[in-house]
Every structure is written in C-alpha cells, then in structure tokens.
Amino acid sequence: MVRKLIQYLPFFLPFIGYGAYVITARALGRDASWRSAPWLWLTSAGLALVVIGLLITWAIDDRSGTEGQYVPPRLEDGRIVPGHIESGDE
C-alpha cells in the first residue's frame, strides 16, 4: 500500500496543492472552484514530478554487483538453485 502511494503521489501532488488552494481561497471569501482549474498545467506538473522522481531513483540506485554474467535459476538434483550473477573473474 505504501509503495503504491509513493509511486502515485508525485503525480497527484499538484492536484492536492490546488485543492488546498481552493479550500483556502473559499475560506477567505475568494471565488475559486475546480471548474476553472488549470488542468493542463496541473497534469504537466504532475508528469514532470514523476519524471524527476524516476530520474532521481535511477541516479541513486545501487548498481553494484551487476557486472558479470547472469545465471538463471535452474533445477539441480530436485532442488531449485536461485539465479545469480557470476563475475567475469570466475
């Protein structure tokens, strides 16, 4: 559940922010509604946040141990040997 929230939250942040603006504006007596929402800008901002989040995730991802040859899982003597990466040194 938390993982899904983290995945979808960057897209919905601009909409949540606009909703907070509408609620605050109405409380202060100003005219604000969802009908006049800048849908294109909110969607664009949400997509931009998703792309930025993906780029940050890619940049900080730990890629150690990915050099070498991948050996897929296999069945040996009736038991499953999990997949692993063999380094080029072996």
Side-chain angles (χ1 to χ4, degrees):
M1 177 66 183
V2 174
R3 184 174 180 176
K4 291 290 183 190
L5 181 67
I6 291 171
Q7 286 177 334
Y8 296 122
L9 185 63
F11 179 76
F12 289 112
L13 275 177
F15 297 95
I16 293 169
Y18 187 77
Y21 163 74
V22 168
I23 291 169
T24 304
R26 286 182 181 172
L28 295 174
R30 296 185 186 152
D31 184 29
S33 72
W34 279 100
R35 292 182 188 263
S36 62
W39 295 108
L40 179 64
W41 289 106
L42 292 172
T43 304
S44 299
L47 290 175
L49 287 174
V50 168
V51 169
I52 290 169
L54 289 172
L55 289 174
I56 289 173
T57 302
W58 173 78
I60 64 173
D61 186 33
D62 181 26
R63 292 186 219 41
S64 63
T66 58
E67 299 295 323
Q69 182 68 33
Y70 175 70
V71 179
R74 62 188 182 279
L75 188 63
E76 281 186 4
D77 299 325
R79 64 182 185 91
I80 297 175
V81 177
H84 59 279
I85 296 176
E86 291 182 352
S87 64
D89 301 347
E90 295 178 11

